[in-house]
Amino acid sequence: MSDKPVVLSGIQPSGSLTLGNYVGAIKNWVALQNSHDCLFALVDMHAITVRQDPAALRERCHEFLCLYLALGLDPDRATLFVQSHVSGHAQLAWLLNCHTSMGELRRMTQFKEKAGTHTDNVNAGLFDYPVLMAADILLYQADAVPVGDDQKQHLELARNLAERVNARTGERVFTVPEPFIPEVGARVMRLGDPTAKMSKSDDVPANSIYLLDEPKTVTKKIKRAVTDSDGEIRYDEAQKPGLSNLLSIYSAVADRPIADLERDYAGFGYGRLKGDLAEAVVAFLEPLQKRYAEFSADRAGLADILARGAKAASQRAEPTIEHVYRLTGFVPGG
Ligand code: ATP
Ligand code: LTN
């Protein structure tokens, strides 16, 4: 077993991966692979909290895995796995449910938002979603969880649950995880409405840049992105949310500080900035999409990666389940 700090994160295979998911989360995952002991999951059990077509869900898991690989996640350095392949997630979620109050879950912003947009299907899973997420993290004794800004509240619940169970049992059952949130790009906003977060399940495709968008689509979307009319290229989230969003995306994709971009574009118009940003995004996406196509063609290779991931993750999850079952008072020997 490695003595590097443990990192765990996950993305639900729903919708289509966006540049927001990359900049807010996966970019950090790739960076952490060398220095940390990493596990990255496709959280399919979370995805079914909203209705999914089974065949499409299956296909999307493969699509997301290929994108993970194309973005540089390496199955030899990180454990890449599917949540439903490891029974410990559901087992631990149940236990944690019994340490979570309804009031805590009722306060969760994501639940309130999703319950508002999926009014025909406000199921118990949607309500309980943050507990399953806490289980994902605590199962592996994760030290750090690289996510975008929107997941802070869920992380806080995972921390509270870890502390609560440790206090109630009097043992160090769980590591208390820290959020790992990027300084730039933690909340990429919609191109058409920079007051709301870009999201992979958005019904309006023009709001998001998808990792599998064609170059000319990307250019068109960026050119049409909402900005403001004062004409000055300056980062100011409150006064200039659209332009600030474009600067953040540029900074993350080109690996350049925002201050440098402000300096370089001082005195230029928005058209120039948008044109250069579109070029930078396309320069990032084109090779990515080529690698994606190569990985997609190798179904046997993908199955092998998932089988390895499932085995490694299951083995790592076992001691946590055993420990917490024993402390709970479950009779051994099952
Ligand atoms: P959905 O629309 O399907 O609910 P989503 O786009 O919000 O999905 P998630 O699966 O909820 O994506 O999140 C995956 C990861 O990407 C999380 O770490 C989340 O914080 C991050 N993330 C999602 N959207 C953004 C965004 N707009 N900016 C930065 N990070 C983001
Ligand atoms: N809720 C997260 C996805 C998620 C996750 C996790 C992230 C599920 N389990 C564990 C980090 C660690 C979201 O982004 N919506």
Side-chain angles (χ1 to χ4, degrees):
M1 238 215 165
S2 134
D3 51 11
K4 293 175 180 168
V6 177
V7 157
L8 177 128
S9 195
I11 292 187
Q12 341 175 46
S14 52
S16 188
L17 279 178
T18 70
L19 204 58
N21 299 128
Y22 171 68
V23 169
I26 308 174
K27 189 170 186 226
N28 269 337
W29 302 6
V30 176
L32 289 165
Q33 285 182 112
N34 293 326
S35 50
H36 290 65
D37 176 10
C38 294
L39 298 119
F40 298 119
L42 289 159
V43 291
D44 52 350
M45 289 156 65
H46 277 104
I48 62 164
T49 55
V50 305
R51 262 184 212 113
Q52 302 289 342
D53 171 67
L57 178 62
R58 214 169 289 131
E59 196 46 44
R60 212 178 298 114
C61 273
H62 286 114
E63 178 189 306
F64 278 33
L65 176 63
C66 291
L67 278 167
Y68 281 9
L69 297 168
L71 286 164
L73 293 178
D74 174 1
D76 290 329
R77 283 182 291 161
T79 299
L80 307 180
F81 71 104
V82 176
Q83 184 186 34
S84 65
H85 290 175
V86 182
S87 51
H89 293 258
Q91 291 173 303
L92 185 56
W94 184 256
L95 271 156
L96 294 176
N97 271 332
C98 302
H99 292 277
T100 310
S101 73
M102 302 285 284
E104 280 179 302
L105 294 181
R106 236 180 252 125
R107 282 198 290 276
M108 293 289 151
T109 316
Q110 185 175 299
F111 170 71
K112 288 191 254 179
E113 279 171 12
K114 296 228 160 159
T117 45
H118 299 272
T119 43
D120 58 333
N121 184 23
V122 184
N123 60 71
L126 193 64
F127 187 62
D128 199 33
Y129 178 113
V131 179
L132 179 60
M133 176 165 163
D136 299 341
I137 298 166
L138 304 185
L139 189 57
Y140 301 100
Q141 308 293 341
D143 296 284
V145 183
V147 283
D149 180 68
D150 61 311
Q151 295 303 309
K152 250 193 207 155
Q153 197 185 24
H154 288 164
L155 242 306
E156 203 47 47
L157 177 75
R159 288 171 57 81
N160 289 341
L161 284 173
E163 281 166 353
R164 191 173 303 160
V165 174
N166 290 351
R168 284 182 182 163
T169 58
E171 289 195 22
R172 193 183 153 290
V173 185
F174 299 124
T175 303
V176 181
E178 295 287 340
F180 191 99
I181 295 173
E183 272 170 34
V184 174
R187 182 175 281 265
V188 175
M189 310 308 271
R190 289 183 188 160
L191 298 179
D193 172 12
T195 61
K197 179 183 93 90
M198 185 183 286
S199 137
K200 62 180 151 53
S201 306
D202 195 325
D203 295 336
V204 183
N207 278 332
S208 306
I209 297 171
Y210 299 107
L211 296 180
L212 293 177
D213 264 348
E214 290 204 12
K216 59 177 191 311
T217 310
V218 171
T219 306
K220 212 191 287 166
K221 285 179 177 177
I222 292 177
K223 295 221 157 129
R224 290 190 185 156
V226 167
T227 50
D228 54 67
S229 56
D230 89 353
E232 197 188 337
I233 296 187
R234 168 173 63 83
Y235 190 90
D236 180 341
E237 265 176 46
Q239 301 298 321
K240 300 166 72 67
L243 192 84
S244 302
N245 190 37
L246 296 182
L247 283 170
S248 300
I249 296 175
Y250 202 158
S251 165
V253 171
D255 271 322
R256 298 191 53 201
I258 288 178
D260 283 13
L261 297 171
E262 285 177 324
R263 199 192 48 225
D264 288 2
Y265 286 95
F268 286 106
Y270 293 174
R272 167 82 173 252
L273 176 79
K274 284 181 166 181
D276 289 355
L277 169 61
E279 263 180 40
V281 174
V282 167
F284 169 71
L285 292 183
E286 264 179 345
L288 167 74
Q289 293 176 359
K290 206 162 149 263
R291 289 193 297 275
Y292 168 81
E294 288 162 11
F295 285 117
S296 306
D298 180 13
R299 279 283 168 145
L302 299 177
D304 184 51
I305 290 170
L306 292 184
R308 271 166 63 196
K311 189 159 174 245
S314 299
Q315 274 173 1
R316 295 187 57 164
E318 230 168 74
T320 303
I321 294 294
E322 273 176 25
H323 191 191
V324 71
Y325 268 28
R326 179 166 54 76
L327 293 175
T328 304
F330 289 169
V331 176

